[in-house]
Amino acid sequence: MPCVLCAEPGRMELASRPLPTEAPEGWVLVDIAAIGICGTDYHIYEGKHPYLAYPRVIGHELSGHLVEGPRAGELVVVNPYISCGTCRACRRGKPNCCVRIEVLGVHRDGGMCSRIAVPEGNVYPAEGLTPLQAAMVEFLAIGAHAVSRSGVGQGDVVLVTGAGPIGLGAAIFARLAGAEVHLMDLSQARLDLARDAFGFALSHRPGDDVLTGELAEGFDVVFDATGNASAIEAGFPLLAHGGTTVLVSVVKDDITFSDSEFHKREARIIGSRNALQADFERVMEAIRAGHIPTEAITSQVLTLGDLPARFDALTRDREHLVKVLVTP
């Protein structure tokens, strides 16, 4: 079967791998229907991912059809986080932060191909969704999980820093929770896209004098989706007293903040990693209800064979893209 792999930083290839015909016990075969390209995939291409060994078949935002059994042909969303099921986090219902987690397309080969085998518990029915919509669920679930972790509710004033796909997901679910949502990004193009395509008209640039007028007391929740240590640190002074910072992105750097200011605000810092099945289900219900503008999310649809030649241009143009989807 054809698959797209990153052979080394800066080189995507269309390769051939054997078509899986049998799945291990407890696993199922899925014929891939659509794949979303994620910021992780761009980082792999750029050689910036800290946990990856090349070559690697990319792709973890996946929809597909079950190959065998009584549900053969059913459209499903694939949860790409393969957990051990036995560590303390897994035993406590937190497989998203499993000690031995393996993410498809990162720690093991992903779904940028025709067929893949995954644990049976990692596939969720996607009734009422199209294959393209189903391939959007995973990245939106990351934002939904962050909002769930934050406790955002009606009347809260929220700032999302980083208006890329993950930040937009957090912004969408914060808005659905009843919050007033502001966005901040270095890129005016991203902010314009968020306004025109998704209706987020309240926006700021880093360095703006944000804490004025009705915002003088700060934001109830600040979600960071920048992946930038300086941006995370710049967000702490924007918290209102009693506020919460949610770290959706991850950085390798140490993060510092003023302890006295932190205690004065009785602030909270929450890490948010991956997503749970409940978050996937929440996203699918929101799509079915028409609350997610999936047409606006879809920037381009490519075929598997076209992707290697197009990947470099996509990487350079991702400021103007929300989600590029690939069909095998």
Side-chain angles (χ1 to χ4, degrees):
M1 65 176 178
C3 61
V4 172
L5 62 82
C6 190
E8 60 185 11
R11 183 157 64 94
M12 286 288 181
E13 294 182 352
L14 188 66
S16 180
R17 294 283 177 88
L19 182 74
T21 56
E22 294 184 0
E25 184 178 354
W27 291 45
V28 293
L29 296 175
V30 179
D31 278 338
I32 298 297
I35 312 108
I37 297 177
C38 174
T40 296
D41 301 316
Y42 295 126
H43 292 154
I44 290 170
Y45 179 75
E46 293 171 323
K48 296 179 179 179
H49 201 288
Y51 309 123
L52 188 115
Y54 298 89
R56 176 66 71 219
V57 177
I58 63 169
H60 64 271
E61 299 179 2
L62 309 172
S63 70
H65 296 92
L66 294 174
V67 174
E68 299 173 321
R71 296 167 58 194
E74 180 180 345
L75 180 67
V76 295
V77 170
V78 175
N79 179 336
Y81 324 128
I82 300 177
S83 56
C84 73
T86 60
C87 72
R88 185 171 181 83
C90 287
R91 297 197 309 271
R92 292 169 61 85
K94 300 179 180 181
N96 60 307
C97 53
C98 166
V99 172
R100 290 175 286 276
I101 199 166
E102 290 186 303
V103 180
L104 296 177
V106 179
H107 304 95
R108 59 165 63 210
D109 283 342
M112 195 69 75
C113 57
S114 301
R115 179 179 291 179
I116 192 170
V118 294
E120 187 173 9
N122 283 58
V123 296
Y124 310 140
E127 182 181 359
L129 275 61
T130 68
L132 293 180
Q133 289 174 326
M136 301 176 190
V137 171
E138 189 272 342
F139 93 85
L140 290 168
I142 292 173
H145 183 68
V147 170
S148 176
R149 296 266 294 150
S150 73
V152 162
Q154 190 71 38
D156 285 337
V157 182
V158 165
L159 176 66
V160 179
T161 60
I166 299 299
L168 283 173
I172 288 169
F173 280 91
R175 182 168 62 187
L176 288 174
E180 175 185 296
V181 179
H182 297 242
L183 295 180
M184 178 178 286
D185 201 286
L186 281 169
S187 169
Q188 189 60 49
R190 282 200 183 278
L191 294 175
D192 291 345
L193 180 61
R195 179 196 63 217
D196 297 340
F198 299 92
F200 291 108
L202 303 172
S203 64
H204 313 275
R205 301 288 293 278
D208 286 354
D209 186 11
V210 178
L211 301 182
T212 60
E214 294 182 355
L215 297 177
E217 293 185 279
F219 295 92
D220 299 301
V221 182
V222 175
F223 294 91
D224 181 85
T226 65
N228 181 279
S230 296
I232 293 171
E233 292 175 351
F236 292 129
L238 303 180
L239 272 182
H241 283 233
T244 300
T245 289
V246 183
L247 301 181
V248 191
S249 64
V250 61
V251 298
K252 296 178 69 175
D253 312 85
D254 291 336
I255 303 298
T256 63
F257 56 89
S258 165
D259 182 68
S260 61
E261 288 295 324
F262 183 84
H263 275 82
K264 184 171 70 176
R265 288 169 167 78
E266 197 182 51
R268 296 192 303 166
I269 301 175
I270 294 175
S272 183
R273 186 182 184 193
N274 300 328
L276 295 167
Q277 181 173 352
D279 304 306
F280 282 76
E281 300 288 356
R282 188 176 301 114
V283 171
M284 287 191 277
E285 183 54 39
I287 292 174
R288 294 185 193 106
H291 297 318
I292 308 291
T294 54
E295 289 188 4
I297 289 172
T298 308
S299 301
Q300 294 183 36
V301 180
L302 304 175
T303 66
L304 202 65
D306 290 336
L307 185 60
R310 297 285 299 277
F311 206 89
D312 188 68
L314 295 175
T315 302
R316 287 184 278 106
D317 195 41
R318 64 182 184 262
E319 179 183 9
H320 300 93
L321 303 170
V322 180
K323 186 58 58 179
V324 176
L325 296 157
V326 180
T327 58

